[in-house]
């Protein structure tokens, strides 16, 4: 096991960077309102990325991070966004002046991109092997057999098991981490000089995330690839960055080395971002309430996979799960992808049917309540999902979405509208937001609307299923503060599902750790996170990115540079 510190892979001393962005400006073709002119999305930005260097772009949603990456790849949506000034030089060639045919040649051979969600980046009706083979076929003169061997070798280099089976698999047959490895293999198979990674680890649990970061560092070390890494996760930044570019509203606010930006930030905006990163040190414990509102006992959820050939396969998504939740308590459920966290949450809310066990809501077992009789139960338990945009009907004003549950439970419309206005104020939005549509809000504001909708029926339990994982750090901090304020005001109990141990440390009173459908450890948050009993829990904590940094105080807790171990 070799250890590669982030300082070991240094940028080239050559004066010619792999990527140079000079005075780049991008404008939207139309304004956001009637009578408005073009809106400036990027305003004269510039920075370099050298061979073997990782440059991280950080900033809030809307800062211009992704527009920068799409500009480099020549993927700005036509008719919506256009570069109006500046140059983007990839090994000296200006991609803004390249014709479409030349751009297609540059992609994959000189520059490539890894997107955030591999499931949407891959064709669901083609095997992953065929999709990687297509890249080689279009950009090389290799025959079919030679291409297959090249693809299999690349799959092996990204540490996928049983590569011949993987080659013939469809995207839905692979885990999230495996799909992301496929996308990385596709991006790197022709050894481009520049790799752009746009939030490639945001939706992954800490152990899978660490594996992907290790893989990217290993491949960079082998090939000297320049990496432009876009993320809002400062833990990841602290692990992989050589230099950091801070962006805000289309401008570059600050550029510097990792240590300069994270430990000695100069701009007020940068200090605000970094101080918003939750700490891994658990907050002070609260006294647990005596009124238990939820008891889960012996909960099982099994799926039967019917096979065309061979016997059916039974998958245990949750096995013998036991937990209890008191009034005003925030209980966190953590674990890797596939550990059963969301399965438990959906069983508790009765969005899926448990196979066995009891779910006692204020003493009443709701596990066997027929679906047609669930409406009275729904008043007492509500859920907030990860993606607020998909949770809201884009054709309905948000006020109508908030009052839907109230109207279904017999409340008069005018009373429901008044209640909705109160809820919007409670979550920090103006009452007149009721008349706007979901697309007119930011991601953080949409999540606030989803929380308001969930609170409309005054539930005893609020289930938050990865409710802040897709938000940037400043908005995440606001939503976490909001949940804490709501808990204090209303006494609602919160079942908080997350793969982010930093978030769990700051908001949860109790933590339950799950692995392969079973609870392996549970207890007060401070005990589980600072003195874990189980090796699996220790592995999760060790895998948390940036664990050696104290972001709140702009310093490192361990003075040595963080290291990534490469097999």
């Amino acid at each position: 096991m070799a250890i590669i510190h982030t300082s070991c892979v240094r940028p080239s001393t050559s004066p010619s960077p792999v990527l140079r962005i000079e005075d780049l400006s991008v404008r939207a073709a139309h304004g956001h309102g009637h009578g408005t002119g073009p809106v400036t999305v990027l305003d004269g930005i510039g920075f370099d990325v050298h061979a073997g260097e990782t440059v991280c772009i950080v900033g809030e949603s809307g800062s211009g991070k992704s527009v920068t990456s799409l500009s480099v790849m020549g993927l700005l949506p036509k008719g919506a966004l256009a570069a109006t000034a500046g140059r983007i030089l990839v090994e000296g060639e200006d991609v803004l002046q390249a014709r479409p045919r030349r751009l297609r040649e540059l992609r994959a051979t000189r520059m490539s991109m890894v997107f955030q969600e591999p499931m949407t980046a891959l064709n669901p009706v083609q095997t992953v092997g065929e999709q990687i083979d297509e890249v080689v076929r279009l950009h090389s003169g290799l025959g079919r057999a030679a291409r297959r061997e090249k693809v299999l070798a690349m799959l092996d280099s990204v540490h996928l098991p049983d590569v011949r089976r993987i080659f013939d698999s469809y995207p839905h047959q692979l885990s999230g981490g495996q799909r992301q490895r496929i996308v990385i293999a596709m991006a790197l198979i022709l050894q481009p000089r520049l790799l752009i990674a746009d939030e490639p680890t945001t939706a992954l649990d800490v152990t899978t995330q660490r594996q992907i970061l290790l893989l990217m560092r290993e491949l960079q070390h082998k090939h000297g690839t320049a990496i432009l890494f876009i993320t809002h996760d400062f833990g990841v930044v602290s692990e992989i960055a050589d230099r950091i570019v801070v962006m805000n509203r289309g401008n570059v606010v600050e550029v510097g080395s990792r240590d300069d930006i994270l430990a000695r930030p100069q701009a007020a905006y940068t200090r605000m971002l970094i101080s918003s990163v939750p700490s891994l040190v658990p907050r002070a414990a609260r006294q647990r309430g005596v009124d238990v509102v939820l008891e889960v006992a012996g909960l099982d959820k099994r799926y039967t996979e019917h096979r065309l050939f061979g016997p059916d396969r039974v998958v245990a998504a949750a096995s013998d799960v036991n937990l209890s939740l008191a009034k005003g308590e925030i209980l966190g459920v953590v674990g890797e992808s596939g550990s059963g966290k969301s399965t438990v949450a959906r069983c508790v809310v009765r969005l899926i049917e448990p196979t066995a066990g009891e779910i006692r809501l204020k003493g009443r077992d709701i596990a066997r309540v027929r679906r047609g009789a669930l409406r009275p139960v729904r008043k007492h338990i509500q859920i907030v999902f990860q993606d607020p945009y998909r949770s809201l009907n884009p054709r309905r004003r948000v006020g109508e979405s908030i009052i839907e549950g109230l109207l279904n439970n017999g409340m008069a419309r005018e009373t429901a509208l008044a209640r909705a206005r109160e809820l919007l104020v409670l979550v920090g939005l103006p009452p007149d937001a009721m008349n706007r549509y979901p697309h007119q809000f930011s991601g953080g504001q949409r999540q606030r609307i989803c929380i308001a909708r969930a609170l409309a029926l005054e539930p005893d339990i609020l289930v938050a299923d990865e409710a802040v994982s897709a938000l940037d750090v400043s908005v995440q901090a606001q939503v976490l503060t909001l949940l804490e304020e709501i808990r204090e005001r209303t006494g609602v109990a919160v079942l908080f599902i997350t793969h982010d141990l930093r978030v769990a440390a700051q908001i949860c009173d109790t933590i339950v750790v799950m692995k392969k459908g079973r609870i392996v450890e549970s207890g007060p948050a401070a005990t589980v996170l600072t003195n874990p009993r189980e090796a699996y829990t220790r592995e999760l904590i060790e895998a948390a990115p940036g664990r050696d940094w104290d972001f709140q105080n702009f310093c490192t807790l361990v003075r040595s540079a963080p290291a990534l171990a490469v097999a």
Side-chain angles (χ1 to χ4, degrees):
M1 181 79 70
I3 301 295
I4 295 180
H5 289 270
T6 52
S7 56
C8 289
V9 183
R10 301 308 307 159
S12 168
T13 56
S14 167
S16 300
V18 174
L19 171 66
R20 168 164 285 170
I21 297 178
E22 297 177 349
D23 198 29
L24 175 65
S25 293
V26 172
R27 291 189 177 182
H30 303 287
H32 294 289
H34 296 293
T36 61
V39 174
T40 298
V41 181
L42 296 180
D43 190 9
I45 71 166
F47 57 86
D48 296 342
V49 186
H50 289 81
E53 181 183 33
T54 299
V55 172
C56 289
I57 304 182
V58 299
E60 296 174 287
S61 298
S63 63
K65 305 188 301 294
S66 292
V67 172
T68 300
S69 68
L70 293 175
S71 299
V72 174
M73 292 294 294
L75 294 175
L76 289 176
K78 291 183 178 180
L81 295 173
T84 56
R87 298 197 302 168
I88 302 174
L89 303 176
V90 176
E91 293 194 307
E93 183 173 354
D94 189 353
V95 299
L96 293 180
Q97 302 302 319
R99 294 181 179 276
R101 181 174 178 177
R102 178 56 180 160
L103 270 177
R104 288 194 293 271
E105 292 173 353
L106 289 173
R107 295 178 192 133
T109 60
R110 303 271 285 281
M111 58 184 183
S112 59
M113 191 166 181
V114 176
F115 294 95
Q116 176 175 349
E117 178 44 66
M119 197 62 181
T120 58
L122 294 169
N123 188 331
V125 299
Q126 273 190 313
T127 66
V128 296
E130 290 174 330
Q131 295 182 61
I132 303 174
D133 176 78
E134 182 180 18
V135 177
V136 184
R137 178 172 54 82
L138 292 175
H139 294 280
S140 77
L142 294 176
R144 184 176 182 85
R147 293 199 310 269
R148 180 179 174 87
E149 289 307 310
K150 187 178 182 69
V151 173
L152 290 173
M154 191 67 212
L155 293 176
D156 185 63
S157 74
V158 297
H159 306 306
L160 283 164
D162 192 3
V163 293
R164 295 184 185 279
R165 177 186 64 81
I166 294 287
F167 185 99
D168 294 321
S169 298
Y170 290 90
H172 73 273
Q173 295 175 309
L174 306 176
S175 69
Q178 288 175 328
R179 286 194 291 264
Q180 197 62 286
R181 287 168 187 265
I182 293 295
V183 174
I184 291 172
M186 189 183 301
L188 293 179
I189 192 163
L190 297 179
Q191 298 184 14
R193 298 288 289 147
L194 173 67
L195 176 66
I196 300 173
D198 189 359
E199 301 274 13
T201 62
T202 297
L204 304 177
D205 59 68
V206 289
T207 50
T208 306
Q209 180 184 69
R210 184 166 179 79
Q211 292 166 9
I212 296 298
L213 295 178
L214 286 169
L215 172 63
M216 293 181 70
R217 174 61 76 191
E218 177 188 350
L219 296 173
Q220 181 186 45
H221 187 63
K222 284 182 181 177
H223 306 298
T225 312
I227 295 180
L228 184 63
F229 198 101
I230 296 165
T231 184
H232 64 251
D233 189 331
F234 276 84
V236 170
V237 170
S238 71
E239 295 271 359
I240 69 168
D242 292 307
R243 289 190 299 125
I244 299 172
V245 176
V246 184
M247 293 187 67
N248 182 30
R249 297 182 180 179
N251 292 281
V252 172
V253 173
E254 193 170 354
V255 181
S257 69
R258 178 196 63 187
D259 289 356
D260 282 343
I261 297 296
L262 296 184
R264 297 175 291 277
Q266 300 300 307
Y269 177 76
T270 308
R271 291 195 294 272
M272 180 277 293
L273 279 183
I274 297 172
S275 62
S276 298
V277 180
S279 171
L280 263 173
V281 178
R283 59 163 178 73
R286 281 192 299 256
Q287 184 75 30
R288 189 174 192 262
V290 294
D291 296 331
V292 174
V293 292
L294 175 70
E295 291 178 282
V296 176
L299 178 68
D300 283 1
K301 177 59 183 178
R302 294 186 295 274
Y303 295 97
T304 301
E305 184 180 292
H306 298 288
R307 297 179 175 183
L308 188 59
F309 302 103
D312 292 347
R313 175 170 170 255
V314 177
V315 178
S319 300
D320 193 27
V321 173
N322 299 275
L323 57 86
S324 66
L325 180 63
K327 181 178 181 180
E329 180 185 12
I330 300 180
L331 187 152
V333 184
V334 303
E336 297 173 285
S337 298
S339 63
K341 307 186 301 295
S342 292
T343 297
V344 170
R346 283 164 168 73
C347 284
V348 166
V349 186
R350 285 296 309 276
L351 293 180
I352 57 177
E353 299 294 326
T355 306
E358 297 180 351
I359 304 170
R360 291 191 289 274
L361 178 63
K362 300 181 76 172
R364 179 191 178 192
D365 186 5
I366 64 170
R368 296 291 169 263
V369 175
R370 290 179 292 104
R371 279 197 171 274
L374 278 173
R375 179 174 289 183
V377 173
R378 303 242 186 255
K379 293 176 62 175
H380 300 283
I381 186 164
Q382 291 284 302
I383 188 167
V384 179
F385 294 100
Q386 177 175 348
D387 187 344
Y389 197 70
R390 290 199 299 173
S391 300
L392 295 167
N393 188 331
R395 298 181 180 181
R396 302 186 72 179
R397 299 179 195 272
V398 299
E400 294 298 318
S401 292
I402 293 172
I403 67 173
E404 181 179 11
L406 297 171
L407 297 180
N408 289 342
N409 280 274
M411 184 177 286
R413 183 176 178 82
E414 289 304 314
T415 307
L417 290 171
R419 171 68 176 152
R421 294 186 190 97
E422 293 173 2
L423 288 166
L424 286 172
V425 172
L426 177 67
V427 299
L429 292 173
D432 61 7
M434 289 182 60
N435 299 316
R436 293 156 62 188
Y437 290 93
H439 74 271
Q440 295 175 296
F441 296 90
S442 69
Q445 289 173 325
R446 286 196 288 265
Q447 197 61 291
R448 288 169 182 264
I449 291 166
C450 290
I451 292 171
R453 180 178 62 178
L455 293 173
L457 293 170
E458 300 181 355
D460 298 294
I461 300 167
L462 185 66
V463 177
D465 189 2
E466 298 282 10
V468 298
S469 65
L471 305 178
D472 56 63
V473 287
S474 57
V475 177
Q476 185 183 78
Q478 294 167 12
V479 173
L480 292 177
T481 300
L482 171 64
L483 286 173
E484 176 61 24
E485 290 174 352
I486 289 171
R487 184 204 63 79
E488 289 181 355
R489 289 188 199 181
T490 66
V492 66
V494 181
L495 186 63
F496 196 89
I497 314 297
T498 184
H499 65 253
D500 191 330
L501 296 184
R502 292 181 179 277
V503 170
Q506 293 310 301
I507 195 170
C508 297
D509 303 300
T510 309
I511 287 181
V512 167
V513 182
M514 292 193 68
K515 179 183 181 182
K516 296 181 179 179
R518 293 183 177 275
I519 293 177
V520 296
E521 184 166 0
S522 63
T527 302
V528 172
L529 294 178
T530 60
N531 189 28
R533 300 189 314 272
E534 298 295 323
Y536 176 71
T537 309
R538 291 193 292 272
E539 289 172 12
L540 288 180
I541 296 169
E542 281 296 310
R547 62 198 176 282
D548 297 326
W549 286 80
D550 179 7
F551 295 101
Q552 306 292 318
N553 297 304
F554 307 114
C555 65
T556 56
L557 295 176
V558 178
R559 300 312 301 176
S560 60
L564 292 179
V566 178

